[in-house]
Amino acid sequence: MATKNLSEYNTANVPDASNMIFGIVVAEWNPEITGALLQGCVSTLEKHGALPENIHVKTVPGSFELIYGARQMTLNDGYDAIIVLGSVIRGETPHFDYICQGVTQGIARLNATNNIPVIYGLLTTNDLQQAKDRAGGRLGNKGDECAVVAIKMAKF
């Protein structure tokens, strides 16, 4: 469980993003959640100077496809960072575990083998309310957090 608001951070510690280009891959599954994550992410990037034309958004059908989408974006040398946004909500079958584990390992592999940081923005929650709480609800917005991490890692 998140112990802090995902949208709270020290703005003084965030570099200027006005010369940075970001790729965002967002899953279409659970659109109420992923749409809110995307909105938070884009607004935070722009808040720190990223130009709208330097924020490129692509969609994929589900969270497992985030790996492929991010990999395709790493092949474009123009990105300073890539952000993946998705939401997997536990159900009655082990599908949740396979998807979460696969995406986590895939994004970790991309980070270990490429020169562009890929920021992990996959919500893995037990129920819809937990996802809402982390997509603009009482615990802030994971999209905000991912944008800040992307800016910092692009500057790393």
Side-chain angles (χ1 to χ4, degrees):
M1 175 182 227
T3 58
K4 69 176 191 104
N5 186 312
L6 298 166
S7 298
E8 292 178 359
Y9 58 94
N10 182 347
T11 58
N13 293 334
V14 182
D16 175 42
S18 60
N19 292 322
M20 297 178 183
I21 301 173
F22 299 95
I24 302 173
V25 184
V26 60
E28 295 171 340
W29 195 258
N30 294 324
E32 174 186 5
I33 303 303
T34 59
L37 294 173
L38 178 61
Q39 182 179 21
C41 185
V42 169
S43 67
T44 300
L45 289 171
E46 289 177 350
K47 174 181 172 181
H48 293 287
L51 301 173
E53 60 268 23
N54 289 340
I55 302 170
H56 305 160
V57 179
K58 298 285 187 180
T59 60
V60 294
S63 291
F64 197 77
E65 291 77 27
L66 291 169
I67 304 163
Y68 178 83
R71 171 69 175 134
Q72 293 308 305
M73 284 190 161
T74 65
L75 299 175
N76 179 339
D77 293 331
Y79 293 111
D80 294 293
I82 297 161
I83 303 162
V84 299
L85 300 172
S87 173
V88 183
I89 300 170
R90 187 178 300 279
E92 297 177 359
T93 69
H95 178 75
F96 172 90
D97 298 313
Y98 300 135
I99 297 299
C100 295
Q101 187 174 56
V103 175
T104 300
Q105 291 174 355
I107 299 304
R109 188 170 38 259
L110 289 176
N111 275 306
T113 59
N114 289 288
N115 293 323
I116 301 168
V118 180
I119 310 308
Y120 183 88
L122 180 68
L123 288 181
T124 57
T125 59
N126 289 318
D127 57 49
L128 180 59
Q129 187 57 53
Q130 287 180 346
K132 288 179 179 179
D133 288 346
R134 291 158 178 78
R138 68 180 183 87
L139 295 173
N141 191 320
K142 181 73 172 174
D144 296 340
E145 181 185 58
C146 290
V148 170
V149 171
I151 295 167
K152 288 182 174 184
M153 291 306 295
K155 191 70 171 176
F156 184 76

